[in-house]
Amino acid sequence: MKRRADLDDPNVREVIVVGGGIAGLSAAIYLGRAQRDVLVIDSGHSMAKWEPVVQNYLGFANGVGGKELLKNGCTQARRYGASFASDEIKTVSARKSFFVLKGKRKTYRARRLLVATGIFHLPPEIPGVKECLGHSMFFCKDCDGYRVRGKRIAIIGTSNETVEYALGMLDYSACVVVATNGERPIWDRQHARWLAEYEIPVARQRIRDVDHRKRKIRALEFASDAAIKIDYIFTTRGDIFHNELAKKLGAKLDSDGQIKVDHCMRTSVPRLYAAGCVTPANCQMIIAAGQGAAAAQAINRDFFEESLASHSLRRFREEQLEEEKTVPEVSKPKAKRRKK
Ligand SMILES: Cc1cc2nc3c(=O)[nH]c(=O)nc-3n(C[C@H](O)[C@H](O)[C@H](O)COP(=O)(O)OP(=O)(O)OC[C@H]3O[C@@H](n4cnc5c(N)ncnc54)[C@H](O)[C@@H]3O)c2cc1C
């Protein structure tokens, strides 16, 4: 017998996870294994798809493709009963005991909602560089710094973060240049001083084109026809946080737009949880997976406490006692033969 949170309306799911990327899938595995009625709604744009070889995920000594990780995660979640819908949730509202989610295709209802909608890294405004994404153009020093050891690296951007990326990259390569793509730098004096002190060159011209073959970058070509040979680009234009649903429900966000959560991934709104890159996490797959699992554990705990408070566990137990064998049969001990 499987227990479901007590509901009058069978169309209300126990849990909906919006976002079937790394955090959402990890949560779905935990929720499925806790025998929750869980639906994952996903619009299919996980950032993990962009990474051909993930090298820093525990357990894959030779790396694993981001797409493969998602596919396996999906199969694993289905194995434990999670169901999936391909849809994009456009808006959400809260009722007394459940949420109503309106998607492009359908409307959904759930007692608990986990937002695992991720972020979007803004690509640089340079023509023809999109196909190099994940191959020779990156966003994340922690994911990709190791791969570019000893190579020629350009950091594109104008902010303090750009300068800090360039400084951080010195651990991996001596050949680091900052390129502002013709924009006025907005880094502060301290960061300007560091650029000078660490002798990191700054190319200030507009980038006209990126010379690349088979997704491998070869040079940055400037408006003046000058060019510099480089192997890899890191870009620091910032991120868009997919926080709209949490915002609509009144959840607290930080100044960057990340959804504020406690250590169990509960937001400031009751019954609403968030996990992965849309929270103030370090945006790494293994961290997103851990956060998804933590959110699922919190949801399970909250359901459990609710079932004690509402006595639904008691009612379930009564049904069990009526319908099922609840005590293992005890076999009689075999009579011992007496020795003659
Ligand atoms: C080029 C690149 C390389 C990377 N390489 C690495 C690496 O090597 N190692 C590493 O640890 N990390 C890497 N990352 C980061 C990694 O991809 C993220 O940390 C991880 O995907 C975050 O998981 P998430 O679940 O928070 O978000 P995502 O995996 O991005 O999933 C979010 C999901 O939510 C869905 N969604 C959003 N809004 C809605 C909505 N309204 N309705 C329905 N669905 C919605 C999206 O379609 C998406 O599927 C890389 C990222 C990029 C871009």
Side-chain angles (χ1 to χ4, degrees), residues 52-57 59-65 68:
V53 190
V54 184
Q55 295 178 334
N56 56 358
Y57 203 95
F60 295 92
N62 299 317
V64 57
E68 191 187 341

Side-chain angles (χ1 to χ4, degrees), residues 52 82 94 150 154 176 198 233-234 318:
V176 177
Y198 289 88
I233 288 178
F234 282 74
E318 279 161 11

Side-chain angles (χ1 to χ4, degrees), residues 32-208:
R33 286 176 57 79
Q35 308 217 76
R36 293 287 161 213
D37 161 45
V38 54
L39 173 69
V40 180
I41 303 173
D42 187 46
S43 56
H45 303 295
S46 166
M47 282 189 299
K49 287 185 177 173
W50 291 103
E51 181 51 71
V53 190
V54 184
Q55 295 178 334
N56 56 358
Y57 203 95
L58 178 74
F60 295 92
N62 299 317
V64 57
K67 282 185 188 168
E68 191 187 341
L69 207 54
L70 291 170
K71 194 167 157 245
N72 289 348
C74 198
T75 308
Q76 198 176 348
R78 280 186 204 279
R79 173 170 295 167
Y80 299 117
S83 41
F84 284 78
S86 177
D87 203 348
E88 184 183 335
I89 301 303
K90 299 305 275 180
T91 189
V92 61
S93 55
R95 302 283 186 276
K96 199 173 164 220
S97 61
F98 59 88
F99 297 103
V100 180
L101 295 98
K102 290 204 170 135
K104 273 188 179 169
R105 295 189 176 166
K106 272 179 74 177
T107 296
Y108 311 84
R109 291 173 180 79
R111 297 277 311 271
R112 293 286 192 282
L113 177 60
L114 170 58
V115 173
T117 41
I119 61 176
F120 176 67
H121 295 304
L122 288 167
E125 289 175 315
I126 307 170
V129 79
K130 205 179 154 199
E131 50 266 49
C132 300
L133 183 58
H135 295 268
S136 52
M137 185 184 84
F138 302 117
F139 299 97
C140 166
K141 177 165 59 63
D142 303 321
C143 305
D144 301 305
Y146 187 85
R147 308 174 202 263
V148 303
R149 284 164 299 146
K151 302 292 182 188
R152 294 168 296 194
I153 301 160
I155 316 291
I156 316 268
T158 55
S159 61
N160 285 349
E161 191 193 3
T162 312
V163 176
E164 287 178 25
Y165 250 73
L167 293 167
M169 275 297 168
L170 298 177
D171 277 338
Y172 301 103
S173 173
C175 188
V176 177
V177 57
V178 168
T180 64
N181 194 20
E183 285 177 34
R184 220 181 121 100
I186 53 166
W187 52 65
D188 63 22
R189 280 197 192 156
Q190 175 60 63
H191 286 76
R193 271 199 295 273
W194 278 331
L195 280 176
E197 184 184 340
Y198 289 88
E199 299 186 36
I200 295 172
V202 180
R204 293 176 189 267
Q205 294 181 48
R206 189 175 62 78
I207 300 165
R208 193 194 61 213

Side-chain angles (χ1 to χ4, degrees), residues 18 89-94 99 101 113-118 239-261 267-269 272-274 278-279:
V18 182
I89 301 303
K90 299 305 275 180
T91 189
V92 61
S93 55
F99 297 103
L101 295 98
L113 177 60
L114 170 58
V115 173
T117 41
D239 305 308
I240 294 173
F241 294 89
H242 296 308
N243 57 19
E244 301 83 1
L245 303 177
K247 204 165 153 184
K248 182 87 200 321
L249 291 168
K252 284 186 184 155
L253 309 177
D254 68 12
S255 54
D256 289 331
Q258 303 172 109
I259 305 169
K260 284 189 176 178
V261 283
T267 70
S268 58
V269 173
L272 176 69
Y273 308 75
V278 74
T279 73

Side-chain angles (χ1 to χ4, degrees), residues 305-323:
E305 286 178 6
E306 194 177 275
S307 74
L308 288 176
S310 69
H311 305 290
S312 72
L313 185 58
R314 177 70 221 159
R315 287 193 290 278
F316 175 71
R317 182 64 180 148
E318 279 161 11
E319 284 171 34
Q320 267 184 343
L321 290 168
E322 270 173 29
E323 288 175 24

